[in-house]
Amino acid sequence: MKPKVFFKTFGCRTNLFDTQVMIENLKDFELTQNEEEAHIVIINSCTVTNGADSGVRQYLNKIQKKGKKIYFTGCGVATKGKEVYPQVSGVFAHDHKENINTLLKNKTKFFLPTQNQTHIDQTLVSEFVGKSRAFIKIQEGCDFTCSYCIIPFSRGKARSLPQERILTQIQTLAQEGIKEVVLTGTNMGSYGKDTQTSVAKLIKQIAKIPNIKRIRLGSLEPSQIDEEFLELLGEEFLERHLHIALQYTHDRMLEIMNRHNRFKTDLELFEKIASKGFALGSDYIVGHPGESEEVWNEAYENLKLFPLTHIHPFIYSPRSGTPSASMTPRINGDQAKKRLHMINQLIAQNNFNFRQKYAEVPLKVLIENQRDETFQGFDQFFNKVKIQSSQKLSGWVEINSYTITQEHNFTQL
């Protein structure tokens, strides 16, 4: 009997794809979705914030008490690998993950940090386990030097996967029934800089693949959105939702963060895209050093001007080795939480207003999961939809009439 392996994945969509790459390379082990029956647990970690580190640490401690054999990988290797090493059977960085089958057979404990910062995965994923849509990594690494970010330390410089390999990957999954793909990467919008192409050109090629009905995009930077990309916004195959990383809405703070974007041009860009019927999301950091009361108040008033419908805000946490980690003054934690709450409330109301504005638009929902007689998925605007039905629902469902609640859209079929 083959030993059973369970993967616990933290963090972003890129990590989800990396887990699939490791699953694909398991030859002498059996994958299990049941943590309890696993002999081996692989922790694919995230280290983007203190909260992410804390979540990984809590899980590691819990699994250790159950006596499982544990291996630690992911972005956390660069920051927490040495710290967790005494608790696990092995630590390995991203560039070693395709050798997972050999690593798990190793009789001795090992620590493998990043040895090749230019590594690009060679593995083609044959199925996306447990998902109705697939995350497709199109690039690795980041050339931006945002003062708060630790991720380039673990992912390296930006480099693109070959277009033909990406298209072959998607064709393979499409033949297995995947109908929606989500393009992702450490800094997805930098795709093609090193290969003289672009995200827009890649999307056009993906749209030609039979069975792929919807293309979703991971996070883009404002500075990466050009006219070639904007021309795609009228195409049916593109999801009517974009996530564009603002991080902040005040030029002084954007300078401190060493960001490329600025408030005025960001607002013009968002208004232009929203006018085409798109829902828009962003990341937003509160509590970064330098966020005085005056800066925050102006930033919040600026934020109110943006047609944002989705938000991923988080409280700044210092990452050792980054410029921001040594900046002062630090912002009081309670103050930062209050600001985070204000942003969440503002964008939640924006989202509700958006859904009411487009209430006459039929929703195209890809069913992702089910609990009893309630099916759940996301529509083309990346809003959650719940459908109550006594009949089995799967794949795409189009609904023309539904109730708009504060949290989601709902209907009965």
mmCIF file with all atom_site columns, all heavy atoms in Angstrom, residues 124-126 136 164-178 181 205-206 208-212:
data_model
loop_
_atom_site.group_PDB
_atom_site.id
_atom_site.type_symbol
_atom_site.label_atom_id
_atom_site.label_alt_id
_atom_site.label_comp_id
_atom_site.label_asym_id
_atom_site.label_entity_id
_atom_site.label_seq_id
_atom_site.pdbx_PDB_ins_code
_atom_site.Cartn_x
_atom_site.Cartn_y
_atom_site.Cartn_z
_atom_site.occupancy
_atom_site.B_iso_or_equiv
_atom_site.pdbx_formal_charge
_atom_site.auth_seq_id
_atom_site.auth_comp_id
_atom_site.auth_asym_id
_atom_site.auth_atom_id
_atom_site.pdbx_PDB_model_num
ATOM 1   N N   . LEU A 1 124 ? 3.390   19.465 -16.536 1.00 0.00 ? 124 LEU A N   1
ATOM 2   C CA  . LEU A 1 124 ? 2.046   19.732 -17.030 1.00 0.00 ? 124 LEU A CA  1
ATOM 3   C C   . LEU A 1 124 ? 1.053   19.052 -16.085 1.00 0.00 ? 124 LEU A C   1
ATOM 4   O O   . LEU A 1 124 ? 1.156   17.858 -15.814 1.00 0.00 ? 124 LEU A O   1
ATOM 5   C CB  . LEU A 1 124 ? 1.864   19.168 -18.438 1.00 0.00 ? 124 LEU A CB  1
ATOM 6   C CG  . LEU A 1 124 ? 2.461   19.976 -19.595 1.00 0.00 ? 124 LEU A CG  1
ATOM 7   C CD1 . LEU A 1 124 ? 2.229   19.238 -20.910 1.00 0.00 ? 124 LEU A CD1 1
ATOM 8   C CD2 . LEU A 1 124 ? 1.855   21.362 -19.664 1.00 0.00 ? 124 LEU A CD2 1
ATOM 9   N N   . VAL A 1 125 ? 0.112   19.824 -15.566 1.00 0.00 ? 125 VAL A N   1
ATOM 10  C CA  . VAL A 1 125 ? -0.882  19.277 -14.643 1.00 0.00 ? 125 VAL A CA  1
ATOM 11  C C   . VAL A 1 125 ? -1.996  18.640 -15.467 1.00 0.00 ? 125 VAL A C   1
ATOM 12  O O   . VAL A 1 125 ? -2.584  19.292 -16.332 1.00 0.00 ? 125 VAL A O   1
ATOM 13  C CB  . VAL A 1 125 ? -1.445  20.410 -13.751 1.00 0.00 ? 125 VAL A CB  1
ATOM 14  C CG1 . VAL A 1 125 ? -2.564  19.883 -12.871 1.00 0.00 ? 125 VAL A CG1 1
ATOM 15  C CG2 . VAL A 1 125 ? -0.321  21.011 -12.911 1.00 0.00 ? 125 VAL A CG2 1
ATOM 16  N N   . SER A 1 126 ? -2.290  17.356 -15.205 1.00 0.00 ? 126 SER A N   1
ATOM 17  C CA  . SER A 1 126 ? -3.264  16.633 -16.034 1.00 0.00 ? 126 SER A CA  1
ATOM 18  C C   . SER A 1 126 ? -4.695  16.827 -15.552 1.00 0.00 ? 126 SER A C   1
ATOM 19  O O   . SER A 1 126 ? -5.646  16.657 -16.311 1.00 0.00 ? 126 SER A O   1
ATOM 20  C CB  . SER A 1 126 ? -2.926  15.136 -16.060 1.00 0.00 ? 126 SER A CB  1
ATOM 21  O OG  . SER A 1 126 ? -2.938  14.609 -14.743 1.00 0.00 ? 126 SER A OG  1
ATOM 22  N N   . ILE A 1 136 ? -4.035  28.726 -13.456 1.00 0.00 ? 136 ILE A N   1
ATOM 23  C CA  . ILE A 1 136 ? -2.933  28.472 -14.382 1.00 0.00 ? 136 ILE A CA  1
ATOM 24  C C   . ILE A 1 136 ? -1.822  29.489 -14.133 1.00 0.00 ? 136 ILE A C   1
ATOM 25  O O   . ILE A 1 136 ? -2.009  30.691 -14.339 1.00 0.00 ? 136 ILE A O   1
ATOM 26  C CB  . ILE A 1 136 ? -3.403  28.599 -15.856 1.00 0.00 ? 136 ILE A CB  1
ATOM 27  C CG1 . ILE A 1 136 ? -4.605  27.685 -16.116 1.00 0.00 ? 136 ILE A CG1 1
ATOM 28  C CG2 . ILE A 1 136 ? -2.250  28.298 -16.807 1.00 0.00 ? 136 ILE A CG2 1
ATOM 29  C CD1 . ILE A 1 136 ? -4.322  26.215 -16.004 1.00 0.00 ? 136 ILE A CD1 1
ATOM 30  N N   . GLU A 1 164 ? 3.665   28.363 -25.416 1.00 0.00 ? 164 GLU A N   1
ATOM 31  C CA  . GLU A 1 164 ? 3.198   27.063 -25.911 1.00 0.00 ? 164 GLU A CA  1
ATOM 32  C C   . GLU A 1 164 ? 2.919   26.103 -24.774 1.00 0.00 ? 164 GLU A C   1
ATOM 33  O O   . GLU A 1 164 ? 1.977   25.305 -24.839 1.00 0.00 ? 164 GLU A O   1
ATOM 34  C CB  . GLU A 1 164 ? 4.228   26.467 -26.883 1.00 0.00 ? 164 GLU A CB  1
ATOM 35  C CG  . GLU A 1 164 ? 4.263   27.154 -28.220 1.00 0.00 ? 164 GLU A CG  1
ATOM 36  C CD  . GLU A 1 164 ? 2.877   27.276 -28.855 1.00 0.00 ? 164 GLU A CD  1
ATOM 37  O OE1 . GLU A 1 164 ? 2.164   26.256 -28.911 1.00 0.00 ? 164 GLU A OE1 1
ATOM 38  O OE2 . GLU A 1 164 ? 2.504   28.388 -29.278 1.00 0.00 ? 164 GLU A OE2 1
ATOM 39  N N   . ARG A 1 165 ? 3.727   26.175 -23.707 1.00 0.00 ? 165 ARG A N   1
ATOM 40  C CA  . ARG A 1 165 ? 3.488   25.285 -22.576 1.00 0.00 ? 165 ARG A CA  1
ATOM 41  C C   . ARG A 1 165 ? 2.208   25.673 -21.835 1.00 0.00 ? 165 ARG A C   1
ATOM 42  O O   . ARG A 1 165 ? 1.443   24.823 -21.385 1.00 0.00 ? 165 ARG A O   1
ATOM 43  C CB  . ARG A 1 165 ? 4.669   25.304 -21.604 1.00 0.00 ? 165 ARG A CB  1
ATOM 44  C CG  . ARG A 1 165 ? 4.567   24.199 -20.539 1.00 0.00 ? 165 ARG A CG  1
ATOM 45  C CD  . ARG A 1 165 ? 5.687   24.285 -19.531 1.00 0.00 ? 165 ARG A CD  1
ATOM 46  N NE  . ARG A 1 165 ? 6.977   24.279 -20.172 1.00 0.00 ? 165 ARG A NE  1
ATOM 47  C CZ  . ARG A 1 165 ? 8.094   24.718 -19.606 1.00 0.00 ? 165 ARG A CZ  1
ATOM 48  N NH1 . ARG A 1 165 ? 8.061   25.212 -18.382 1.00 0.00 ? 165 ARG A NH1 1
ATOM 49  N NH2 . ARG A 1 165 ? 9.239   24.668 -20.240 1.00 0.00 ? 165 ARG A NH2 1
ATOM 50  N N   . ILE A 1 166 ? 1.970   26.972 -21.711 1.00 0.00 ? 166 ILE A N   1
ATOM 51  C CA  . ILE A 1 166 ? 0.730   27.432 -21.067 1.00 0.00 ? 166 ILE A CA  1
ATOM 52  C C   . ILE A 1 166 ? -0.485  26.963 -21.863 1.00 0.00 ? 166 ILE A C   1
ATOM 53  O O   . ILE A 1 166 ? -1.461  26.437 -21.297 1.00 0.00 ? 166 ILE A O   1
ATOM 54  C CB  . ILE A 1 166 ? 0.726   28.968 -20.948 1.00 0.00 ? 166 ILE A CB  1
ATOM 55  C CG1 . ILE A 1 166 ? 1.856   29.444 -20.036 1.00 0.00 ? 166 ILE A CG1 1
ATOM 56  C CG2 . ILE A 1 166 ? -0.626  29.460 -20.425 1.00 0.00 ? 166 ILE A CG2 1
ATOM 57  C CD1 . ILE A 1 166 ? 2.095   30.945 -20.081 1.00 0.00 ? 166 ILE A CD1 1
ATOM 58  N N   . LEU A 1 167 ? -0.433  27.120 -23.180 1.00 0.00 ? 167 LEU A N   1
ATOM 59  C CA  . LEU A 1 167 ? -1.562  26.721 -24.023 1.00 0.00 ? 167 LEU A CA  1
ATOM 60  C C   . LEU A 1 167 ? -1.765  25.203 -23.976 1.00 0.00 ? 167 LEU A C   1
ATOM 61  O O   . LEU A 1 167 ? -2.907  24.730 -23.906 1.00 0.00 ? 167 LEU A O   1
ATOM 62  C CB  . LEU A 1 167 ? -1.335  27.188 -25.457 1.00 0.00 ? 167 LEU A CB  1
ATOM 63  C CG  . LEU A 1 167 ? -1.277  28.717 -25.643 1.00 0.00 ? 167 LEU A CG  1
ATOM 64  C CD1 . LEU A 1 167 ? -0.978  29.067 -27.101 1.00 0.00 ? 167 LEU A CD1 1
ATOM 65  C CD2 . LEU A 1 167 ? -2.574  29.381 -25.196 1.00 0.00 ? 167 LEU A CD2 1
ATOM 66  N N   . THR A 1 168 ? -0.662  24.461 -23.982 1.00 0.00 ? 168 THR A N   1
ATOM 67  C CA  . THR A 1 168 ? -0.777  22.993 -23.880 1.00 0.00 ? 168 THR A CA  1
ATOM 68  C C   . THR A 1 168 ? -1.384  22.602 -22.535 1.00 0.00 ? 168 THR A C   1
ATOM 69  O O   . THR A 1 168 ? -2.222  21.697 -22.457 1.00 0.00 ? 168 THR A O   1
ATOM 70  C CB  . THR A 1 168 ? 0.615   22.335 -24.038 1.00 0.00 ? 168 THR A CB  1
ATOM 71  O OG1 . THR A 1 168 ? 1.155   22.706 -25.298 1.00 0.00 ? 168 THR A OG1 1
ATOM 72  C CG2 . THR A 1 168 ? 0.520   20.826 -23.947 1.00 0.00 ? 168 THR A CG2 1
ATOM 73  N N   . GLN A 1 169 ? -0.964  23.305 -21.469 1.00 0.00 ? 169 GLN A N   1
ATOM 74  C CA  . GLN A 1 169 ? -1.520  23.036 -20.143 1.00 0.00 ? 169 GLN A CA  1
ATOM 75  C C   . GLN A 1 169 ? -3.036  23.244 -20.125 1.00 0.00 ? 169 GLN A C   1
ATOM 76  O O   . GLN A 1 169 ? -3.786  22.419 -19.611 1.00 0.00 ? 169 GLN A O   1
ATOM 77  C CB  . GLN A 1 169 ? -0.846  23.949 -19.113 1.00 0.00 ? 169 GLN A CB  1
ATOM 78  C CG  . GLN A 1 169 ? -1.435  23.887 -17.716 1.00 0.00 ? 169 GLN A CG  1
ATOM 79  C CD  . GLN A 1 169 ? -1.249  22.539 -17.057 1.00 0.00 ? 169 GLN A CD  1
ATOM 80  O OE1 . GLN A 1 169 ? -0.262  22.290 -16.413 1.00 0.00 ? 169 GLN A OE1 1
ATOM 81  N NE2 . GLN A 1 169 ? -2.226  21.652 -17.251 1.00 0.00 ? 169 GLN A NE2 1
ATOM 82  N N   . ILE A 1 170 ? -3.478  24.342 -20.691 1.00 0.00 ? 170 ILE A N   1
ATOM 83  C CA  . ILE A 1 170 ? -4.914  24.642 -20.681 1.00 0.00 ? 170 ILE A CA  1
ATOM 84  C C   . ILE A 1 170 ? -5.679  23.668 -21.582 1.00 0.00 ? 170 ILE A C   1
ATOM 85  O O   . ILE A 1 170 ? -6.780  23.205 -21.227 1.00 0.00 ? 170 ILE A O   1
ATOM 86  C CB  . ILE A 1 170 ? -5.143  26.104 -21.102 1.00 0.00 ? 170 ILE A CB  1
ATOM 87  C CG1 . ILE A 1 170 ? -4.518  27.038 -20.058 1.00 0.00 ? 170 ILE A CG1 1
ATOM 88  C CG2 . ILE A 1 170 ? -6.640  26.402 -21.251 1.00 0.00 ? 170 ILE A CG2 1
ATOM 89  C CD1 . ILE A 1 170 ? -4.556  28.504 -20.424 1.00 0.00 ? 170 ILE A CD1 1
ATOM 90  N N   . GLN A 1 171 ? -5.112  23.329 -22.732 1.00 0.00 ? 171 GLN A N   1
ATOM 91  C CA  . GLN A 1 171 ? -5.761  22.348 -23.616 1.00 0.00 ? 171 GLN A CA  1
ATOM 92  C C   . GLN A 1 171 ? -5.944  21.012 -22.895 1.00 0.00 ? 171 GLN A C   1
ATOM 93  O O   . GLN A 1 171 ? -6.988  20.367 -23.000 1.00 0.00 ? 171 GLN A O   1
ATOM 94  C CB  . GLN A 1 171 ? -4.918  22.157 -24.875 1.00 0.00 ? 171 GLN A CB  1
ATOM 95  C CG  . GLN A 1 171 ? -4.990  23.335 -25.835 1.00 0.00 ? 171 GLN A CG  1
ATOM 96  C CD  . GLN A 1 171 ? -3.878  23.312 -26.873 1.00 0.00 ? 171 GLN A CD  1
ATOM 97  O OE1 . GLN A 1 171 ? -2.958  22.489 -26.801 1.00 0.00 ? 171 GLN A OE1 1
ATOM 98  N NE2 . GLN A 1 171 ? -3.953  24.218 -27.833 1.00 0.00 ? 171 GLN A NE2 1
ATOM 99  N N   . THR A 1 172 ? -4.933  20.608 -22.143 1.00 0.00 ? 172 THR A N   1
ATOM 100 C CA  . THR A 1 172 ? -4.992  19.345 -21.395 1.00 0.00 ? 172 THR A CA  1
ATOM 101 C C   . THR A 1 172 ? -6.135  19.369 -20.386 1.00 0.00 ? 172 THR A C   1
ATOM 102 O O   . THR A 1 172 ? -6.923  18.414 -20.279 1.00 0.00 ? 172 THR A O   1
ATOM 103 C CB  . THR A 1 172 ? -3.660  19.097 -20.662 1.00 0.00 ? 172 THR A CB  1
ATOM 104 O OG1 . THR A 1 172 ? -2.609  19.054 -21.613 1.00 0.00 ? 172 THR A OG1 1
ATOM 105 C CG2 . THR A 1 172 ? -3.700  17.797 -19.874 1.00 0.00 ? 172 THR A CG2 1
ATOM 106 N N   . LEU A 1 173 ? -6.239  20.460 -19.638 1.00 0.00 ? 173 LEU A N   1
ATOM 107 C CA  . LEU A 1 173 ? -7.285  20.564 -18.623 1.00 0.00 ? 173 LEU A CA  1
ATOM 108 C C   . LEU A 1 173 ? -8.661  20.721 -19.256 1.00 0.00 ? 173 LEU A C   1
ATOM 109 O O   . LEU A 1 173 ? -9.666  20.219 -18.726 1.00 0.00 ? 173 LEU A O   1
ATOM 110 C CB  . LEU A 1 173 ? -6.983  21.747 -17.698 1.00 0.00 ? 173 LEU A CB  1
ATOM 111 C CG  . LEU A 1 173 ? -5.741  21.557 -16.807 1.00 0.00 ? 173 LEU A CG  1
ATOM 112 C CD1 . LEU A 1 173 ? -5.414  22.854 -16.073 1.00 0.00 ? 173 LEU A CD1 1
ATOM 113 C CD2 . LEU A 1 173 ? -5.952  20.426 -15.802 1.00 0.00 ? 173 LEU A CD2 1
ATOM 114 N N   . ALA A 1 174 ? -8.737  21.426 -20.389 1.00 0.00 ? 174 ALA A N   1
ATOM 115 C CA  . ALA A 1 174 ? -10.021 21.598 -21.082 1.00 0.00 ? 174 ALA A CA  1
ATOM 116 C C   . ALA A 1 174 ? -10.568 20.248 -21.536 1.00 0.00 ? 174 ALA A C   1
ATOM 117 O O   . ALA A 1 174 ? -11.779 19.997 -21.483 1.00 0.00 ? 174 ALA A O   1
ATOM 118 C CB  . ALA A 1 174 ? -9.855  22.539 -22.270 1.00 0.00 ? 174 ALA A CB  1
ATOM 119 N N   . GLN A 1 175 ? -9.675  19.376 -21.956 1.00 0.00 ? 175 GLN A N   1
ATOM 120 C CA  . GLN A 1 175 ? -10.101 18.034 -22.377 1.00 0.00 ? 175 GLN A CA  1
ATOM 121 C C   . GLN A 1 175 ? -10.611 17.206 -21.199 1.00 0.00 ? 175 GLN A C   1
ATOM 122 O O   . GLN A 1 175 ? -11.357 16.252 -21.379 1.00 0.00 ? 175 GLN A O   1
ATOM 123 C CB  . GLN A 1 175 ? -8.933  17.314 -23.055 1.00 0.00 ? 175 GLN A CB  1
ATOM 124 C CG  . GLN A 1 175 ? -8.593  17.900 -24.424 1.00 0.00 ? 175 GLN A CG  1
ATOM 125 C CD  . GLN A 1 175 ? -7.275  17.399 -24.982 1.00 0.00 ? 175 GLN A CD  1
ATOM 126 O OE1 . GLN A 1 175 ? -6.598  16.570 -24.360 1.00 0.00 ? 175 GLN A OE1 1
ATOM 127 N NE2 . GLN A 1 175 ? -6.895  17.901 -26.142 1.00 0.00 ? 175 GLN A NE2 1
ATOM 128 N N   . GLU A 1 176 ? -10.204 17.593 -19.979 1.00 0.00 ? 176 GLU A N   1
ATOM 129 C CA  . GLU A 1 176 ? -10.663 16.904 -18.764 1.00 0.00 ? 176 GLU A CA  1
ATOM 130 C C   . GLU A 1 176 ? -11.905 17.560 -18.181 1.00 0.00 ? 176 GLU A C   1
ATOM 131 O O   . GLU A 1 176 ? -12.343 17.198 -17.094 1.00 0.00 ? 176 GLU A O   1
ATOM 132 C CB  . GLU A 1 176 ? -9.544  16.892 -17.717 1.00 0.00 ? 176 GLU A CB  1
ATOM 133 C CG  . GLU A 1 176 ? -8.332  16.062 -18.113 1.00 0.00 ? 176 GLU A CG  1
ATOM 134 C CD  . GLU A 1 176 ? -8.685  14.600 -18.312 1.00 0.00 ? 176 GLU A CD  1
ATOM 135 O OE1 . GLU A 1 176 ? -9.435  14.055 -17.486 1.00 0.00 ? 176 GLU A OE1 1
ATOM 136 O OE2 . GLU A 1 176 ? -8.233  14.019 -19.320 1.00 0.00 ? 176 GLU A OE2 1
ATOM 137 N N   . GLY A 1 177 ? -12.446 18.577 -18.863 1.00 0.00 ? 177 GLY A N   1
ATOM 138 C CA  . GLY A 1 177 ? -13.711 19.159 -18.425 1.00 0.00 ? 177 GLY A CA  1
ATOM 139 C C   . GLY A 1 177 ? -13.631 20.541 -17.813 1.00 0.00 ? 177 GLY A C   1
ATOM 140 O O   . GLY A 1 177 ? -14.662 21.139 -17.486 1.00 0.00 ? 177 GLY A O   1
ATOM 141 N N   . ILE A 1 178 ? -12.420 21.058 -17.629 1.00 0.00 ? 178 ILE A N   1
ATOM 142 C CA  . ILE A 1 178 ? -12.293 22.418 -17.090 1.00 0.00 ? 178 ILE A CA  1
ATOM 143 C C   . ILE A 1 178 ? -12.816 23.425 -18.113 1.00 0.00 ? 178 ILE A C   1
ATOM 144 O O   . ILE A 1 178 ? -12.437 23.381 -19.285 1.00 0.00 ? 178 ILE A O   1
ATOM 145 C CB  . ILE A 1 178 ? -10.821 22.730 -16.746 1.00 0.00 ? 178 ILE A CB  1
ATOM 146 C CG1 . ILE A 1 178 ? -10.373 21.907 -15.540 1.00 0.00 ? 178 ILE A CG1 1
ATOM 147 C CG2 . ILE A 1 178 ? -10.625 24.226 -16.483 1.00 0.00 ? 178 ILE A CG2 1
ATOM 148 C CD1 . ILE A 1 178 ? -11.003 22.299 -14.222 1.00 0.00 ? 178 ILE A CD1 1
ATOM 149 N N   . VAL A 1 181 ? -10.641 29.133 -16.640 1.00 0.00 ? 181 VAL A N   1
ATOM 150 C CA  . VAL A 1 181 ? -9.271  29.195 -16.138 1.00 0.00 ? 181 VAL A CA  1
ATOM 151 C C   . VAL A 1 181 ? -9.026  30.546 -15.494 1.00 0.00 ? 181 VAL A C   1
ATOM 152 O O   . VAL A 1 181 ? -9.581  31.569 -15.902 1.00 0.00 ? 181 VAL A O   1
ATOM 153 C CB  . VAL A 1 181 ? -8.226  28.954 -17.261 1.00 0.00 ? 181 VAL A CB  1
ATOM 154 C CG1 . VAL A 1 181 ? -8.302  27.528 -17.754 1.00 0.00 ? 181 VAL A CG1 1
ATOM 155 C CG2 . VAL A 1 181 ? -8.403  29.937 -18.408 1.00 0.00 ? 181 VAL A CG2 1
ATOM 156 N N   . GLN A 1 205 ? -4.975  34.018 -27.403 1.00 0.00 ? 205 GLN A N   1
ATOM 157 C CA  . GLN A 1 205 ? -4.682  32.638 -27.802 1.00 0.00 ? 205 GLN A CA  1
ATOM 158 C C   . GLN A 1 205 ? -5.475  31.642 -26.959 1.00 0.00 ? 205 GLN A C   1
ATOM 159 O O   . GLN A 1 205 ? -5.986  30.643 -27.471 1.00 0.00 ? 205 GLN A O   1
ATOM 160 C CB  . GLN A 1 205 ? -3.181  32.356 -27.676 1.00 0.00 ? 205 GLN A CB  1
ATOM 161 C CG  . GLN A 1 205 ? -2.314  33.148 -28.636 1.00 0.00 ? 205 GLN A CG  1
ATOM 162 C CD  . GLN A 1 205 ? -2.670  32.890 -30.088 1.00 0.00 ? 205 GLN A CD  1
ATOM 163 O OE1 . GLN A 1 205 ? -2.833  31.731 -30.500 1.00 0.00 ? 205 GLN A OE1 1
ATOM 164 N NE2 . GLN A 1 205 ? -2.826  33.963 -30.859 1.00 0.00 ? 205 GLN A NE2 1
ATOM 165 N N   . ILE A 1 206 ? -5.587  31.916 -25.668 1.00 0.00 ? 206 ILE A N   1
ATOM 166 C CA  . ILE A 1 206 ? -6.346  31.020 -24.786 1.00 0.00 ? 206 ILE A CA  1
ATOM 167 C C   . ILE A 1 206 ? -7.813  30.972 -25.201 1.00 0.00 ? 206 ILE A C   1
ATOM 168 O O   . ILE A 1 206 ? -8.459  29.916 -25.168 1.00 0.00 ? 206 ILE A O   1
ATOM 169 C CB  . ILE A 1 206 ? -6.220  31.484 -23.315 1.00 0.00 ? 206 ILE A CB  1
ATOM 170 C CG1 . ILE A 1 206 ? -4.770  31.338 -22.839 1.00 0.00 ? 206 ILE A CG1 1
ATOM 171 C CG2 . ILE A 1 206 ? -7.156  30.690 -22.409 1.00 0.00 ? 206 ILE A CG2 1
ATOM 172 C CD1 . ILE A 1 206 ? -4.511  31.952 -21.479 1.00 0.00 ? 206 ILE A CD1 1
ATOM 173 N N   . LYS A 1 208 ? -9.085  30.906 -27.943 1.00 0.00 ? 208 LYS A N   1
ATOM 174 C CA  . LYS A 1 208 ? -9.313  30.045 -29.110 1.00 0.00 ? 208 LYS A CA  1
ATOM 175 C C   . LYS A 1 208 ? -9.422  28.571 -28.729 1.00 0.00 ? 208 LYS A C   1
ATOM 176 O O   . LYS A 1 208 ? -9.784  27.733 -29.566 1.00 0.00 ? 208 LYS A O   1
ATOM 177 C CB  . LYS A 1 208 ? -8.158  30.224 -30.109 1.00 0.00 ? 208 LYS A CB  1
ATOM 178 C CG  . LYS A 1 208 ? -8.066  31.617 -30.707 1.00 0.00 ? 208 LYS A CG  1
ATOM 179 C CD  . LYS A 1 208 ? -6.847  31.715 -31.621 1.00 0.00 ? 208 LYS A CD  1
ATOM 180 C CE  . LYS A 1 208 ? -6.699  33.131 -32.166 1.00 0.00 ? 208 LYS A CE  1
ATOM 181 N NZ  . LYS A 1 208 ? -5.459  33.268 -32.993 1.00 0.00 ? 208 LYS A NZ  1
ATOM 182 N N   . ILE A 1 209 ? -9.095  28.212 -27.497 1.00 0.00 ? 209 ILE A N   1
ATOM 183 C CA  . ILE A 1 209 ? -9.106  26.809 -27.077 1.00 0.00 ? 209 ILE A CA  1
ATOM 184 C C   . ILE A 1 209 ? -10.537 26.339 -26.869 1.00 0.00 ? 209 ILE A C   1
ATOM 185 O O   . ILE A 1 209 ? -11.287 26.951 -26.089 1.00 0.00 ? 209 ILE A O   1
ATOM 186 C CB  . ILE A 1 209 ? -8.291  26.620 -25.771 1.00 0.00 ? 209 ILE A CB  1
ATOM 187 C CG1 . ILE A 1 209 ? -6.824  26.981 -26.030 1.00 0.00 ? 209 ILE A CG1 1
ATOM 188 C CG2 . ILE A 1 209 ? -8.412  25.189 -25.260 1.00 0.00 ? 209 ILE A CG2 1
ATOM 189 C CD1 . ILE A 1 209 ? -5.955  26.945 -24.789 1.00 0.00 ? 209 ILE A CD1 1
ATOM 190 N N   . PRO A 1 210 ? -10.956 25.269 -27.558 1.00 0.00 ? 210 PRO A N   1
ATOM 191 C CA  . PRO A 1 210 ? -12.323 24.758 -27.389 1.00 0.00 ? 210 PRO A CA  1
ATOM 192 C C   . PRO A 1 210 ? -12.617 24.403 -25.926 1.00 0.00 ? 210 PRO A C   1
ATOM 193 O O   . PRO A 1 210 ? -11.726 23.955 -25.204 1.00 0.00 ? 210 PRO A O   1
ATOM 194 C CB  . PRO A 1 210 ? -12.332 23.498 -28.272 1.00 0.00 ? 210 PRO A CB  1
ATOM 195 C CG  . PRO A 1 210 ? -11.243 23.716 -29.263 1.00 0.00 ? 210 PRO A CG  1
ATOM 196 C CD  . PRO A 1 210 ? -10.178 24.489 -28.537 1.00 0.00 ? 210 PRO A CD  1
ATOM 197 N N   . ASN A 1 211 ? -13.848 24.618 -25.510 1.00 0.00 ? 211 ASN A N   1
ATOM 198 C CA  . ASN A 1 211 ? -14.368 24.281 -24.173 1.00 0.00 ? 211 ASN A CA  1
ATOM 199 C C   . ASN A 1 211 ? -14.038 25.327 -23.104 1.00 0.00 ? 211 ASN A C   1
ATOM 200 O O   . ASN A 1 211 ? -14.637 25.299 -22.031 1.00 0.00 ? 211 ASN A O   1
ATOM 201 C CB  . ASN A 1 211 ? -13.890 22.914 -23.691 1.00 0.00 ? 211 ASN A CB  1
ATOM 202 C CG  . ASN A 1 211 ? -14.384 21.787 -24.575 1.00 0.00 ? 211 ASN A CG  1
ATOM 203 O OD1 . ASN A 1 211 ? -15.472 21.893 -25.158 1.00 0.00 ? 211 ASN A OD1 1
ATOM 204 N ND2 . ASN A 1 211 ? -13.605 20.737 -24.715 1.00 0.00 ? 211 ASN A ND2 1
ATOM 205 N N   . ILE A 1 212 ? -13.088 26.206 -23.332 1.00 0.00 ? 212 ILE A N   1
ATOM 206 C CA  . ILE A 1 212 ? -12.823 27.252 -22.339 1.00 0.00 ? 212 ILE A CA  1
ATOM 207 C C   . ILE A 1 212 ? -13.836 28.376 -22.543 1.00 0.00 ? 212 ILE A C   1
ATOM 208 O O   . ILE A 1 212 ? -13.820 29.086 -23.550 1.00 0.00 ? 212 ILE A O   1
ATOM 209 C CB  . ILE A 1 212 ? -11.385 27.793 -22.458 1.00 0.00 ? 212 ILE A CB  1
ATOM 210 C CG1 . ILE A 1 212 ? -10.371 26.687 -22.135 1.00 0.00 ? 212 ILE A CG1 1
ATOM 211 C CG2 . ILE A 1 212 ? -11.185 28.986 -21.517 1.00 0.00 ? 212 ILE A CG2 1
ATOM 212 C CD1 . ILE A 1 212 ? -10.488 26.105 -20.731 1.00 0.00 ? 212 ILE A CD1 1
#
